[in-house]
Amino acid sequence: MARGRIVLGIESSCDETGAGIVSEGRLLAHAVASSMAEHARYGGVVPEIAARAHLHSFTPVVREALDQAGLRLSDLDAVAVTTGPGLSGALQVGLAGAKALAYAAGVPLYGVHHLAGHVAADTLEHGPLPDPCVVLIVSGGHTSLLLVRDLVRDPILHLGDTVDDAAGECFDKVARVFGLPYPGGPAIDRAARAGNPRAVAFPRPLTGPKDDPYAFSFSGLKTAAARWAEKHRIAGDDLPVADGAASLQEAVADVLTRKALAACRAYEVGTLVVVGGVAANSRVRALAEERCAAAGVELRVPPMTLCTDNGAMIAAVGDLLVRAGASPARLGVSIDPSAPLEYAALHPAAAGVWTPAA
Ligand code: KG4
Ligand code: ZN
């Protein structure tokens, strides 16, 4: 029996160096090194530190992935790599490494859009995505609502994006004001357990009747949380962090799930996929489950290790591209740090020019 083609995926757009291996939709290996601890004292990712950390981690992480799968470089059939969006220096390290591997192994290279990777992550756990589905991407850098048909053949329709901060960014920045550690999302989630979600009436931005139903805004919410903390400080009170965290989390979860379900209703879509680091938030998950169940919508959320940045999700897109017979990138392909999400493949050959397998 002919074996399935094997795709190595590389991710280096932010602070995680990821290498994953996927074959015919099956996850064979998943290795990640994070430089998060090196950024903690600065309260956010420092691009130069991230790029240098990728340089250190690239080879060991790829080796670990190959070892996990019991494979050698010569067993690979393709290499897929995030070419954008992300931090320029960080992306460049991953792309240079991926080009070297593809060249050395004599296999095609595919450039992948980072957000398409987040979407594909779910297929590794729950199988192929239904066509169509609504995808809510919520991470430290992105908050987008998408209508996805065939992920690698069809254009991806952006229903809405954040007009300012991403949801994770809001958690991270407010956590800092509340005196909680970086990254703020998990810290807010933990603190919220002891709090009352109705203690503070934080705003629900862009949810008025005249507002864009699918656009998000979190910077006003961040400011409201900072003002609330400031008011307590000026009054000389102890900050009721648990109540603030629970109320903030409630506001974010409410807005995210309300808009995602409005999109499912408007486009008559039966499946909602929630991906990205903020999909780990306990209240976002619980409220999504509650509202999807009430609306008769199937909810898919990948496991945590596939929600945060990783190479397996990029390999998953590469695997779909290979199986769809998409044309690979040229070795001269470059990064695009602010690439809009139009197609899953992010190299010129994919921009509307889809060539079937020979
Ligand atoms: O997808 P991700 O790992 O990286 C990108 O930004 O691409 O997402 C990281 C974000 C951070 O903002 C982090 O604070 C947030 O996800 N996050 C959470 C939780 N776990 C991670 N936010 C809220 N609750 C959590 N449990
Ligand atoms: Zn990401």
Side-chain angles (χ1 to χ4, degrees), residues 228-240:
W228 172 80
E230 186 67 16
K231 215 175 70 206
H232 278 280
R233 287 222 171 88
I234 290 168
D237 309 342
D238 277 345
L239 192 66

Side-chain angles (χ1 to χ4, degrees), residues 173-174 177-178 202 219-234 239 248:
K173 288 178 176 167
V174 173
V177 176
F178 285 4
F202 285 133
S219 108
L221 186 54
K222 172 188 70 186
T223 308
R227 287 233 177 86
W228 172 80
E230 186 67 16
K231 215 175 70 206
H232 278 280
R233 287 222 171 88
I234 290 168
L239 192 66
L248 176 80

Side-chain angles (χ1 to χ4, degrees), residues 11 13-14 16 114-115 118 137 139-142 276-277 307-310 313:
E11 155 64 32
S13 66
C14 191
E16 263 101 27
H114 178 78
L115 294 184
H118 275 299
I137 297 188
S139 71
H142 304 276
C307 270
T308 46
D309 290 350
N310 66 84
M313 68 187 198

Side-chain angles (χ1 to χ4, degrees), residues 238-323:
D238 277 345
L239 192 66
V241 172
D243 282 347
S247 302
L248 176 80
Q249 188 170 274
E250 190 64 27
V252 172
D254 180 21
V255 172
L256 289 176
T257 55
R258 212 193 285 190
K259 293 192 176 233
L261 277 148
C264 290
R265 244 189 330 272
Y267 288 86
E268 296 179 1
V269 170
T271 304
L272 171 65
V273 188
V274 185
V275 297
V278 179
N281 184 268
S282 58
R283 188 57 188 149
V284 170
R285 290 177 98 105
L287 203 53
E289 267 163 35
E290 197 180 293
R291 290 181 172 174
C292 280
V297 168
E298 177 204 18
L299 175 67
R300 291 174 48 149
V301 188
M304 240 356 273
T305 56
L306 292 171
C307 270
T308 46
D309 290 350
N310 66 84
M313 68 187 198
I314 304 305
V317 177
D319 171 61
L320 290 170
L321 287 166
V322 166
R323 285 193 281 152

Side-chain angles (χ1 to χ4, degrees), residues 3-7 21-28 319 323:
R3 70 163 174 79
R5 280 167 293 180
I6 296 169
V7 182
I21 302 176
V22 170
S23 179
E24 313 278 328
R26 273 194 320 123
L27 178 62
L28 303 182
D319 171 61
R323 285 193 281 152

